[in-house]
DNA sequence: ACAATAGTGTCTGTGAGACAGTATCGA
DNA sequence: TCGATACTGTCTCACAGACACTATTGT
């Protein structure tokens, strides 16, 4: 071995070399929700070059005094005024030319929320902020900045997997929901149809019944259930 | 919204602020293998402060002209002369004080290998390099540098999960193996005993028989199997 | 023959897949 | 009454858990 990994000498030597001076660390946010029976992601339209008029994920640079997760939480607060939301680190993207101007390492975080919690329109200033269907982005129908299309593809893949072996679906609902609606969201995320009878067998043990019913449609009402202890 | 995320102005402004000048990006490597029926991880003994005489994961700083994965591959080559090995990004650790000297964001990579591929002793120079049992590190019996104990705990957790729903066990074998040996490694990773009859039912369809037998013990020989197409 | 490990046959329980049937609403 | 959707009963099948049994080696 030709080096002493982790030694103080190496740390400081490296830091003093020009090549290590221009790297920045950012967190990009994948704020995902369900809108009109589609998985959508929050994006902002760029008003400057490069990728002018393309859509990009919101993100912030990581400050010296905050952790990666704190940066992500701060980004959520600043961009969409969102707090106490499900958040998990997704992946770290660090290709050399992912940003043509300077080297940016992007630690991405995935946030899941019910649609009604989003009020990004309130804080919006200059640039457009929109919920765009993930399918359209991956399909190439929407001009996307940097490597954000790849990031979104990865998030979708991760979500598709996790929905099958975790309780992640429930993060798309804040309070009550009916089983048919829960199943619909599940099917969107898992990208497959399931039989309602099997779906019920799987999820009924996890949720608690309420006395309420959904009578909004002209048909037999469906019962409301709850997953989260509070609200 | 008070900012234009991702705009050129923000990028350059941020970069010119003092607070963004001192961050470094490194990749730390979790080189895992099985030795004497235990999961072990390759670590190096630090000869300098801080954490002098503690054990640390090998790692390298990410250079401007290489991707994160390229840095990890380079680290593998430099530290243990290892190439063409299974490698996956594990997690990114970025707590503020994980290194007391300067802010280091660590993108960790997990590498799995059969024991016989490791020849780190050849390249070793000053500092000690050793394979240490993961259990001993997590148990606190070994003095560990930085947040590396936490990183190792996470790697073990990830491995335990993945071994159940992926083919990841096979990365601990290079060529041939017997089913009893494969099962032993599986049980070490999964941290549970399994019935051999069920284990065989699960894995036999994935592997191909050879004509060879293991006659090293004083008992009925076990058959050798192969997983990877080549050797 | 015996100890020890390799390998097999088979019963059971669980949970998903599949589909037919019943229940309850508005119109 | 009827269309539409909510909900239930139940058969099947794949697969893991469990355990008793047989097979083959060296000594």
């Amino acid at each position: 071995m030709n080096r002493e990994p982790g030694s103080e000498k190496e740390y400081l030597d490296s830091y003093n070399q020009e090549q290590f001076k221009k790297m920045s660390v950012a967190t990009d946010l994948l704020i995902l929700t369900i809108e009109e029976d589609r998985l959508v992601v929050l994006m902002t339209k760029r008003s400057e070059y490069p990728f002018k008029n393309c859509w990009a994920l919101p993100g912030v640079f990581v400050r010296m005094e905050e952790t990666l997760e704190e940066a992500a939480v701060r980004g959520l607060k600043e961009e969409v005024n969102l707090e106490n939301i499900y958040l998990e680190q997704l992946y770290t993207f660090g290709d050399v030319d992912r940003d043509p101007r300077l080297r940016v390492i992007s630690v991405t975080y995935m946030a899941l929320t019910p649609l009604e919690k989003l009020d990004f329109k309130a804080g919006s200033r200059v640039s457009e902020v929109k919920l765009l269907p993930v399918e359209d982005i991956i399909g190439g129908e929407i001009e996307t900045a940097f490597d954000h299309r790849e990031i979104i593809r990865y998030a979708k893949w991760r979500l598709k997997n996790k929905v099958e072996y975790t309780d992640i679906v429930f993060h798309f609902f804040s309070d009550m929901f009916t089983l048919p609606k829960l199943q619909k969201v599940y099917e969107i995320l898992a990208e497959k149809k399931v039989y309602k009878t099997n779906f019920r067998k799987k999820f009924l043990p996890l949720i608690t019944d309420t006395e309420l019913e959904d009578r909004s449609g002209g048909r037999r009402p469906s019962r409301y259930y709850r997953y989260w202890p509070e609200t």
Side-chain angles (χ1 to χ4, degrees), chain A:
Chain A
M1 183 150 25
N2 304 316
R3 298 165 36 265
E4 293 180 37
S7 73
E8 183 152 25
K9 187 168 180 308
E10 188 197 351
Y11 268 84
L12 300 183
D13 282 359
S14 309
Y15 176 59
N16 288 329
Q17 288 172 39
E18 172 63 19
Q19 63 186 8
F20 295 117
K21 285 193 172 171
K22 288 176 181 162
M23 224 173 289
S24 296
V25 180
T27 68
D28 285 324
L29 293 166
L30 288 112
I31 301 164
L32 297 162
T33 190
I34 303 287
E35 188 185 42
E36 292 170 4
D37 288 347
R38 289 184 302 185
L39 178 64
V40 293
V41 58
L42 187 140
M43 300 193 86
T44 63
K45 194 168 193 172
R46 288 178 57 78
S47 53
E48 313 249 344
Y49 288 101
F51 296 107
K52 185 169 179 176
N53 294 325
C54 291
W55 293 90
L57 296 169
V60 297
F61 280 96
V62 178
R63 295 180 182 157
M64 280 306 280
E65 74 281 4
E66 68 187 356
T67 67
L68 298 172
E69 182 163 336
E70 281 163 3
V73 168
R74 176 169 61 83
L76 278 175
K77 175 71 177 165
E78 289 177 358
E79 301 290 328
V80 280
N81 198 31
L82 215 52
E83 289 178 286
N84 297 326
I85 196 183
Y86 177 80
L87 190 67
E88 73 170 57
Q89 190 184 302
L90 187 66
Y91 199 79
T92 300
F93 294 83
D95 278 3
V96 176
D97 292 319
R98 51 182 302 280
D99 187 313
R101 293 160 300 179
L102 75 162
R103 185 79 191 271
V104 181
I105 307 298
S106 170
V107 184
T108 60
Y109 278 81
M110 183 168 76
L112 309 180
T113 177
L115 179 61
E116 63 267 20
K117 275 199 183 174
L118 287 174
D119 67 338
F120 54 87
K121 275 157 186 119
S124 184
R125 194 175 56 104
V126 178
S127 60
E128 278 185 83
V129 181
K130 247 186 186 173
L131 294 172
L132 299 175
V134 165
E135 282 309 319
D136 293 352
I137 292 160
I138 291 174
E141 299 156 44
I142 291 170
E143 297 287 336
T144 310
F146 308 107
D147 54 358
H148 291 184
R149 176 175 290 127
E150 189 195 341
I151 295 174
I152 291 164
R153 188 184 297 119
Y154 183 73
K156 180 189 156 199
W157 177 85
R158 172 101 138 232
L159 207 46
K160 173 178 173 167
N161 286 322
K162 285 199 95 166
V163 78
E164 302 232 28
Y165 65 91
T166 70
D167 290 354
I168 222 168
V169 220
F170 295 112
H171 292 288
F172 291 97
F173 298 90
S174 50
D175 187 18
M176 295 186 306
F177 49 86
T178 64
L179 270 171
K181 278 180 185 166
L182 185 70
Q183 180 175 349
K184 185 70 194 172
V185 172
Y186 181 94
E187 290 176 341
I188 291 164
L189 299 176
E191 297 184 284
K192 68 173 184 185
K193 288 269 178 192
V194 293
Y195 283 80
K196 62 181 166 193
T197 168
N198 308 322
F199 185 80
R200 299 176 93 86
K201 270 189 291 191
K202 180 176 179 174
F203 280 94
L204 266 178
L206 305 178
I207 58 185
T208 57
D209 202 345
T210 70
E211 299 302 308
L212 302 168
E213 288 179 334
D214 175 11
R215 309 185 148 269
S216 62
R219 71 237 169 307
R220 175 171 175 179
S222 49
R223 199 184 300 269
Y224 275 118
Y225 293 87
R226 212 183 284 275
Y227 178 75
W228 307 110
E230 337 244 326
T231 297

